Amino acid sequence: EDKTTYELSALSRLMEAVWVKGDLNAVDQVEPLALRFKEACKAESKKTGRTCVMEFDSLVATARVHEGRERFQEAAKEVRALLALLKKNETLVRENLQDCTDCLREASFELFILEPEGGEKELIKAVAAELAKLREWGA
């Protein structure tokens, strides 16, 4: 594995460990990691000329940080970017169907803006439709 792949993997694991630990200052600890993760994913995509599959996860990570900071509009923007990226990269999504499904499922479970009670109805429907499409592809 090259340095970028190692860095992306390490950042992903570090963020998850901090979220799972559940400290009150988890957002403070995760925010710089999430921003670096997103930046590194975009750089990897640019370098290879193909969307890095971890870029999907980076959008969920930054959405979680925005929610932790009570920036719900920014969190919704990240989810919309995730949906657009999934639609734009059908071949990549089909090649990594389980990872993409897991990423979208994680977003729907982890983000307040996607909760059935009180979430953004339009966004909830869009995520549900995308998940249904991915399940159909996996059938």
Side-chain angles (χ1 to χ4, degrees):
E1 292 185 32
D2 66 9
K3 277 183 9 181
T4 304
T5 303
Y6 179 77
E7 179 186 20
L8 292 174
S9 180
L11 286 167
S12 178
R13 288 184 178 133
L14 278 170
M15 285 186 300
E16 195 56 40
V18 173
W19 284 126
V20 169
K21 189 176 172 192
D23 287 342
L24 292 175
N25 64 347
V27 172
D28 293 333
Q29 295 174 3
V30 170
E31 187 168 26
L33 299 171
L35 295 174
R36 176 62 195 139
F37 185 52
K38 185 176 180 181
E39 181 183 300
C41 287
K42 285 185 176 189
E44 178 67 8
S45 295
K46 187 175 181 179
K47 182 177 90 176
T48 63
R50 180 178 175 170
T51 300
C52 170
V53 74
M54 292 183 106
E55 198 167 333
F56 303 124
D57 295 312
S58 76
L59 292 166
V60 175
T62 52
R64 287 179 75 183
V65 168
H66 287 309
E67 277 197 345
R69 298 275 188 219
E70 297 185 6
R71 298 185 303 237
F72 299 106
Q73 294 298 328
E74 288 87 351
K77 185 178 173 183
E78 297 290 351
V79 173
R80 286 185 189 91
L82 170 62
L83 292 169
L85 197 61
L86 287 166
K87 288 178 180 161
K88 180 181 168 188
N89 291 280
E90 183 177 325
T91 302
L92 179 67
V93 171
R94 286 183 184 269
E95 291 170 357
N96 297 277
L97 189 57
Q98 189 60 54
D99 290 337
C100 293
T101 302
D102 290 347
C103 177
L104 201 52
R105 197 175 287 135
E106 177 189 334
S108 66
F109 289 128
E110 299 289 339
L111 295 171
F112 300 118
I113 58 172
L114 297 178
E115 286 184 355
E117 306 84 29
E120 283 196 31
K121 300 299 181 206
E122 180 184 310
L123 206 51
I124 293 167
K125 287 179 185 176
V127 168
E130 191 67 20
L131 272 169
K133 180 176 81 177
L134 296 181
R135 278 193 294 272
E136 183 181 302
W137 287 353

